[in-house]
Amino acid sequence: MQKQVYFFGEGKAEGSREMKNLLGGKGANLAEMTNLGLPVPPGFTISTEVCTYFYQNNKNYPPEFEKAVLTAIGKMETVLGAKFADKDDPLLLSIRSGARVSMPGMMDTILNLGLNDETVLGLSKKVDERFAQDSYRRFIQMYSDVVLEVAPHHFETLLEQTRRRENVAADSELSASTLKNLVGEFKKIVLLETGKPFPSDPMVQLWGAISAVFGSWNSARAISYRRIHKIPEDWGTAVNVQAMVFGNMGEDCATGVAFTRDPSTGDKKFFGEFLTNAQGEDVVAGIRTPLPINKESSNGSNLPTLQEKMPSPYGELVKTYQILEKHYRDMQDIEFTVQKGKLFMLQTRTGKRTASAAVRIAVDMVKEGLIKPEEAVLRVTPAQVEQLLHPRLDPRHVKQVIAKGLPASPGAASGEVIFSSEEAEELRRNNRKVILVRHETSPEDIGGMDASQGILTALGGMTSHAAVVARGMGKPCVAGCGVISIDYKNQQFKVGDQLVKKGELLTLDGGTGEVILGHVPTINSQLDEHFREFMKWVDQFRVLKVRANAETPNDVKVARGFGAEGVGLCRTEHMFFEESRITAVREMILSDSRKQRESALSKIFPMQKEDFKAIFREMKDYPVTIRLLDPPLHEFLPKTESEMTSLARLLNTSKESIQAKVRSLHEFNPMLGHRGCRLGVSFPEIYAMQVRAIMEAACELVKKEEFQIEPEIMIPFVGAMEEYRLLKSDILKVCEKVLTEQNINVSFSVGTMIEIPRAALIAGKLAQEASFFSFGTNDLTQMTLGLSRDDSGSFLPKYVEKGIYSVDPFVSLDQEGVGELISLACERAKLSNSNIKIGICGEHGGDTSTIEFCNRLGFNYVSCSPFRVPVARLAAAQATLKSK
Amino acid sequence: MQKQVYFFGEGKAEGSREMKNLLGGKGANLAEMTNLGLPVPPGFTISTEVCTYFYQNNKNYPPEFEKAVLTAIGKMETVLGAKFADKDDPLLLSIRSGARVSMPGMMDTILNLGLNDETVLGLSKKVDERFAQDSYRRFIQMYSDVVLEVAPHHFETLLEQTRRRENVAADSELSASTLKNLVGEFKKIVLLETGKPFPSDPMVQLWGAISAVFGSWNSARAISYRRIHKIPEDWGTAVNVQAMVFGNMGEDCATGVAFTRDPSTGDKKFFGEFLTNAQGEDVVAGIRTPLPINKESSNGSNLPTLQEKMPSPYGELVKTYQILEKHYRDMQDIEFTVQKGKLFMLQTRTGKRTASAAVRIAVDMVKEGLIKPEEAVLRVTPAQVEQLLHPRLDPRHVKQVIAKGLPASPGAASGEVIFSSEEAEELRRNNRKVILVRHETSPEDIGGMDASQGILTALGGMTSHAAVVARGMGKPCVAGCGVISIDYKNQQFKVGDQLVKKGELLTLDGGTGEVILGHVPTINSQLDEHFREFMKWVDQFRVLKVRANAETPNDVKVARGFGAEGVGLCRTEHMFFEESRITAVREMILSDSRKQRESALSKIFPMQKEDFKAIFREMKDYPVTIRLLDPPLHEFLPKTESEMTSLARLLNTSKESIQAKVRSLHEFNPMLGHRGCRLGVSFPEIYAMQVRAIMEAACELVKKEEFQIEPEIMIPFVGAMEEYRLLKSDILKVCEKVLTEQNINVSFSVGTMIEIPRAALIAGKLAQEASFFSFGTNDLTQMTLGLSRDDSGSFLPKYVEKGIYSVDPFVSLDQEGVGELISLACERAKLSNSNIKIGICGEHGGDTSTIEFCNRLGFNYVSCSPFRVPVARLAAAQATLKSK
């Protein structure tokens, strides 16, 4: 073990900000500020290694530790001229925990340590009796709660009774003698509850506090927080022991917090609040309203400011914040206390900020020469960019949250509740805004979803149909909201006793999963010049390409607008559901012979070809990967009796024959059924039609519109080498035929999705024959984890809560399991084909940690829904920068 | 390249039986027989390397090849004193193909090559004109078909017309002049069909025949056969060119086939058939009935025998067969020809035999000192043992096959057609024999299946519910018989136009998948003393343990009787379906609180405990692995309205609440849903009850019946480390509590199934905490291949047919994919826990090639259905012997 105790004071500290692992965040910054010559009350930090030793040695301290603590206190006494436990001029201490990362569940703060019946008299003499007794009762109250584990309500009840008896509104109005009485009563409570008197020896108090900080590292809450956030147990916590300074010694005292720039807009202005004659906890308690530190912070009000009331310490504070921001090269969140006109700094740390402030600050700081563009890129999180892209609820508005589901697609929207897609489409024609509420959605609801402002489903997870489609459309969606019970018949839903009927106004927050009764106004996203500037830098540092999953010309256009560099996944079947086509698709499925099927396919062919042309045009000069038909055929068939009847009429057949087909196509586990390229093997004519449509579209564009194009034809759901070989050879035959007919040469490539575990295992072989791989991580996750995304809602949230999976594996790639399989596949593939192009097109393609993973593995691109493209661009840039 | 042409003749051959790869099976044995001094007509074999060269060099022969052939013919001429293409004494040749393994689709035989209008006169002089012309027309007919690809019906039609015109019944009655005319007519057909005259130059004939043999290696049929059986293309075929001998030169000539022991019983007796004055093809044509070669072969008839008619060549033949059997140390299947009283050997090979003959011959040969026990063990195939265990159809009976499904569970049975399980149970009470016919079966059909002789389903694959349960019961089952269309309402099914009504007699052959109208008698299996002796040797050479998948005391008893060394998979949920328990199970599922669930579970508890006791008793001294509850809860709920109504009455609740529960538990992909240990995480009380039942059962037996027992508690469907840790800790708590209560120490172990790909990937971690792994290869296959076993029936057969999967991956483990994952898991597991016990309990546990795979990977045991235990024992022994 290195040093156990690190002193700071008198302009010199043994630690520094680099020593976060050893001293915790708070301790490292206290040392740093001391070294900067800033007015930090002296003190010392007990290192995290002592904590680790403590737990590894049956809760004993290392040898020499006690001596080191006493030595450090001696130094404080020398610096301050006061003495710990001294009757006349007692040194009082604050004790705070401080781990590497801020961690809920850990002990917070004990103030005024060192007071007892004797030292309180010294403090009385030095300041005044009321202040001394008030400090004493605060200390007993805090210490009893945190160290002695006496339930706080005992003290609070007594305080309240006292206030009532004395007929005062606030504790600060209680007299010195009343407070002295309270101290006596408080000590009685402690004796009664713990069976032992309150410790009067300051040294016993100190050791009790240190043990309590270490003990709180293993509190149940801290342990579960660590398990969920994967924080190693042996990191331990540090303990900060510091001389007390008082913001509550009188009207020339104050305490406050400030930000070096505006945390909500990013404006370059010093921004903060303070209270005179107060201790930090008073600000938190919220009984008194804090005042602005300066005009810039006053929001136009005429409230007195710190600048006005205490110009000299304010001037000090301004100098200090400028030093700190320049030194830390980032916006700082600082805590300060003014004691009798003198400024003390208690904390500095990087300040939290809103998404737009983050972008603004990063861009400004580059312009100010404070940071480099690559640092700016690392200063904004992908989640913040995500926030910027979607409207959000106006935070000033009160909201009545009636339920909470999964935050399945970000953004916020309000509208009338509606339960059917047809009605949604009808109401749109009348310019009405609706929220579609369904048990779940199916491909047939696409029109209705498109016509709605947002979607709420009772079933389904983060990658359910509703979630995936809504994300693709950039619409808010709350999915898997199991507490709502929908009654289609009566056109209403219930949450507990709350009944919501068709037509009532509902608001969804897709970013939080909140379902809110009534209309809440939203604030639109602002993609201002700062954002555009910022994204330019992002693209400079990015290696991974970012493509979009999109299949309608409009989606492709949106994606391109967000900077997508190609289409990574064009799901051809989405085109099959359109009203004008579905009948031909159904005719094809109901056919009994290849000839009949071909005839039905020939009706779909011209439409698919036009789709491809439109998509190619929108993505001019960028690659487009087209996946051949994937879902099982039964997905296209009608579900209700009446639909079957009308289809039967349309196709001149019997309802019974349609029902028979539906029955014969029924599958117990459609996810693992007759789908993907298995359809291509069973019905080669389907893929033949699609490939012809792709190639004719490409040829005609090259001929008539004279642009270059190289379609990437992707075979889905491949599991075996022979399967791929067979289908590739079928595809090549069609391509060659079209090229001959068109008498032109257009390059194209054929590749496969890797979405079945077996495909990952045989990737070495597949790569010999495939030009590209695209990891379909939705299916790969389902199969590798044995987890149906549509069914996991009943237990997966509990799994994540218990830390069995640290995150929902459909949101962020399960790197330990699925990632292992992907690594293995990449390794084997590159061994046998070093030129293979590798991408990811599952829903994970827009997830930050997944993108980092793909970057590490040397992927060529990630593909995500259009609205996540900027998010993915940033995540990709950060992945590259971080890996350096 | 080594030598291209290998001569044999005059007691000396350049080849030998070890050179099968180079000379093919037939060529190697001809060489071997020549070297043994047996009377083999001289000839030569063109090596398979020439074939390979031929294909690698654009169908050109290697240099020097022609010369080598001419030299070999020269040697034949020297040996025989006749000359190829000689007018007076022409040497005639037979040409046969011969690959390493016998392969359908390859060219068979050309006889009498070397005849033309001139040489036929020489043959006339040497023998007689009728014989010569008959040989000539036979030659033209064969050669035109095989080499010139003239459709055979042209010749057959003409022959038939001629017979009619001449008013004779057989070709042998046609006169010399008629035959001579026919020769002319045949040649005209060739000219007409091919545009070229029939080749008259014997050398041209020879080269045409050699090319035809090589060409047939790449015929469409041969290619597809090779693809399916994974025979490498570059093996190539050999060509055997041999001097003709004639069994049709007169009454002192004959041709025949014989076996050195009885191929159907294995009796040690020389057994065969012959025809006088005939060529091999006449035996095949089946116009004349062959005669027995001796009394032992006569089946009690008084037919003349070869022994009587030609005592001297018969004596030669007896000596020869004794030499061959002793030399080859196995029963031989031989072909011979007697030409004018002189015996010639044309072929010897290992004889095919029935299952019981295989056992008998193997055991006898050990006793005779001919082979060692380990060789005997390798002489019987696991499939033969399988056959021996089940009744089979009497082969003498004519059968009207109306449909063919999957051979899902071996054995054969007849009974009345019945469509419901309840009726099946009712009829059993009246001692009626029934065949249960269902779309599919579900756990509720278990009683009905047990009451039936056999099961026929229209849906489902080799590991469907019906298949798995039937195999467990040892009952025949034909599954996935898609051609039958069942009409429950009218109690009948249809195959094409054939209507089968309830009560009609039906026979199933579960070994072939045949569905037969009417009653076909069966022959029972005979596990005689030979079999028992044989199995003793099997166990001597076996390393892998063989356990059984079984859960009823009766199944466990049967398994033990078949030699199972423990239970590898006791599926506790199977016990839940029994009529006496299902109501309590349903009550548990319908409960809203943990307390209600616990109360329902307490009703099931005593029954489960008694089950475990009974199983432990049957498997005294052997390990029993008990899997905790696995299937999703909805499997236990009623399906029909009426069942729901009666359950509602029983449980004093409403039908609606039951329907609501059924709806809420519905899953889109139950295979990947809320099942296995996920239930244990959601409802810890279920596993707690089961573990308590296991441990109390064990403790009471140890106390009261004084035997040792060590239950293996298996957690199913584990996918994550934390999941396993959590459940293991729950289990340990219950176990410790029971042991404390019972005040006794009983060892137990906790392990997991590896059935989710992710579990295989994290096997290294899991092994740190698990005492054993059991690979659940059914689920592992489903997930690794993305293939639902219940739904794959619609395309998997086509996949196997096309060679995309070489075998049904639910029948034989997919070693390339699933096997890769298993290898990886074993490797990682053993690295972190060298003591871990590893087994397999999926349906593959009884499959030969899977067992070989498990043996190679060092598994501790395989576990299969009781009726496959002897099969697995043999496969395990063979795997060990083969690996040496």
Side-chain angles (χ1 to χ4, degrees), chain B residues 264 354 356 386-397 410-414 507-509 519-527:
Chain B
S264 65
T354 64
S356 49
E386 169 101 55
Q387 246 182 57
L388 285 179
L389 298 174
H390 296 280
R392 60 206 159 87
L393 295 179
D394 186 338
R396 289 163 308 187
H397 204 90
S414 296
T507 301
L508 301 179
D509 185 339
H519 172 77
V520 179
T522 54
I523 304 171
N524 266 337
S525 63
Q526 295 148 331
L527 302 181

Side-chain angles (χ1 to χ4, degrees), chain B residues 297-328:
Chain B
S297 311
S298 68
N299 231 334
S301 76
N302 281 322
L303 294 168
T305 67
L306 185 69
Q307 188 171 19
E308 291 160 5
K309 291 179 76 163
M310 306 184 188
S312 158
Y314 177 77
E316 280 280 315
L317 186 62
V318 168
K319 270 187 231 155
T320 299
Y321 99 75
Q322 285 165 341
I323 291 169
L324 282 173
E325 197 184 80
K326 202 167 169 192
H327 182 71
Y328 281 94

Side-chain angles (χ1 to χ4, degrees), chain A residues 602-653:
Chain A
S602 70
K603 296 179 193 167
I604 310 168
F605 168 75
M607 303 188 250
Q608 281 238 309
K609 183 166 139 186
E610 284 313 310
D611 289 331
F612 293 136
K613 275 178 144 176
I615 290 169
F616 291 153
R617 280 192 199 107
E618 293 295 348
M619 268 295 162
K620 206 169 149 170
D621 302 328
Y622 290 98
V624 175
T625 306
I626 297 162
R627 178 178 72 182
L628 302 177
L629 186 73
D630 181 57
L633 297 182
H634 50 74
E635 276 201 12
F636 299 97
L637 291 183
K639 310 265 178 299
T640 66
E641 290 251 333
S642 72
E643 283 176 304
M644 290 187 198
T645 309
S646 63
L647 180 64
R649 233 185 340 253
L650 260 171
L651 296 182
N652 203 13
T653 178

Side-chain angles (χ1 to χ4, degrees), chain B residues 388-680:
Chain B
L388 285 179
L389 298 174
H390 296 280
R392 60 206 159 87
L393 295 179
D394 186 338
R396 289 163 308 187
H397 204 90
V398 179
K399 51 190 186 177
Q400 186 189 348
V401 177
I402 57 169
K404 206 165 171 184
L406 296 170
S409 175
S414 296
E416 296 173 43
V417 166
I418 211 87
F419 295 92
S420 101
S421 285
E422 290 80 43
E423 277 192 87
E425 293 185 66
E426 214 176 287
L427 288 173
R428 182 194 16 207
R429 280 176 219 122
N430 302 323
N431 287 322
R432 300 256 288 275
K433 294 190 170 180
V434 299
I435 298 289
L436 180 64
V437 181
R438 303 280 305 164
H439 282 309
E440 63 202 287
T441 62
S442 75
E444 295 180 358
D445 291 314
I446 288 191
M449 293 173 75
D450 186 46
S452 306
Q453 304 300 308
I455 299 101
L456 168 63
T457 69
L459 306 173
M462 292 295 285
T463 50
S464 60
H465 178 267
V468 173
V469 173
R471 282 202 289 277
M473 292 178 170
K475 276 183 204 295
C477 172
V478 174
C481 186
V483 293
I484 71 168
S485 132
I486 303 176
D487 178 354
Y488 284 140
K489 212 172 102 193
N490 295 307
Q491 297 273 296
Q492 59 190 34
F493 73 84
K494 251 186 157 177
V495 193
D497 293 334
Q498 179 79 48
L499 193 70
V500 180
K501 286 175 173 292
K502 175 180 157 183
E504 283 192 58
L505 283 175
L506 200 69
T507 301
L508 301 179
D509 185 339
T512 61
E514 285 174 344
V515 179
I516 300 151
L517 203 63
H519 172 77
V520 179
T522 54
I523 304 171
N524 266 337
S525 63
Q526 295 148 331
L527 302 181
D528 54 12
E529 82 267 28
H530 298 105
F531 182 76
R532 280 188 292 274
E533 180 103 42
F534 177 75
M535 289 308 287
K536 265 190 221 153
W537 295 329
V538 163
D539 289 342
Q540 255 173 47
F541 300 112
R542 181 162 57 88
V543 175
L544 261 182
K545 299 274 178 202
V546 175
R547 300 196 195 180
N549 303 341
E551 39 275 321
T552 68
N554 186 49
D555 283 357
V556 175
K557 191 175 179 169
V558 168
R560 193 57 218 111
F562 279 134
E565 299 158 299
V567 169
L569 178 64
C570 171
R571 290 156 287 210
T572 49
E573 64 271 11
H574 281 209
M575 306 165 176
F576 280 21
F577 284 105
E578 269 186 34
E579 217 178 313
S580 55
R581 310 172 181 194
I582 189 74
T583 307
V585 173
R586 288 170 172 173
E587 184 187 331
M588 187 267 289
I589 296 169
L590 293 167
S591 299
D592 290 321
S593 70
R594 177 166 181 153
K595 214 170 148 185
Q596 276 185 309
R597 267 193 303 277
E598 279 173 337
S599 134
L601 284 166
S602 70
K603 296 179 195 167
I604 311 167
F605 169 75
M607 302 187 253
Q608 279 238 310
K609 183 166 141 186
E610 283 313 308
D611 288 331
F612 293 136
K613 274 179 149 174
I615 290 169
F616 290 154
R617 278 191 200 107
E618 293 294 348
M619 268 294 162
K620 205 169 152 170
D621 302 328
Y622 289 98
V624 175
T625 306
I626 298 162
R627 178 178 74 182
L628 301 177
L629 187 72
D630 182 57
L633 296 182
H634 51 73
E635 276 201 12
F636 299 97
L637 291 183
K639 309 265 178 298
T640 66
E641 291 252 332
S642 73
E643 282 176 306
M644 290 187 199
T645 310
S646 64
L647 180 64
R649 231 185 344 255
L650 260 172
L651 297 182
N652 203 12
T653 178
S654 70
K655 193 180 78 180
E656 287 67 32
S657 75
I658 294 176
Q659 284 172 325
K661 194 76 182 186
V662 167
R663 259 200 314 276
S664 82
L665 290 180
H666 171 261
E667 293 185 316
F668 298 102
N669 295 285
M671 200 61 72
L672 309 175
H674 196 185
R675 52 169 290 213
C677 69
R678 293 165 187 175
L679 297 171

Side-chain angles (χ1 to χ4, degrees), chain A residues 663-724:
Chain A
R663 258 201 313 277
S664 83
L665 289 180
H666 170 261
E667 293 186 316
F668 298 104
N669 294 284
M671 200 61 73
L672 310 176
H674 196 185
R675 51 169 290 213
C677 69
R678 292 164 189 175
L679 297 171
V681 172
S682 298
F683 310 112
E685 54 278 10
I686 300 180
Y687 280 10
M689 180 280 283
Q690 295 195 298
V691 172
R692 174 168 281 274
I694 295 167
M695 292 306 289
E696 285 195 11
C699 288
E700 288 174 16
L701 288 178
V702 171
K703 271 189 193 172
K704 294 183 194 154
E705 302 179 22
E706 293 184 345
F707 65 81
Q708 278 305 308
I709 196 152
E710 189 182 322
E712 300 177 337
I713 301 172
M714 182 155 73
I715 309 177
F717 220 65
V718 165
M721 192 57 212
E722 276 307 316
E723 199 178 29
Y724 181 77

Side-chain angles (χ1 to χ4, degrees), chain A residues 28 148 172 206 240 273 545 725 786:
Chain A
L148 307 177
S172 56
L206 177 61
N240 296 294
E273 297 175 330
K545 299 273 177 203
R725 266 203 206 109

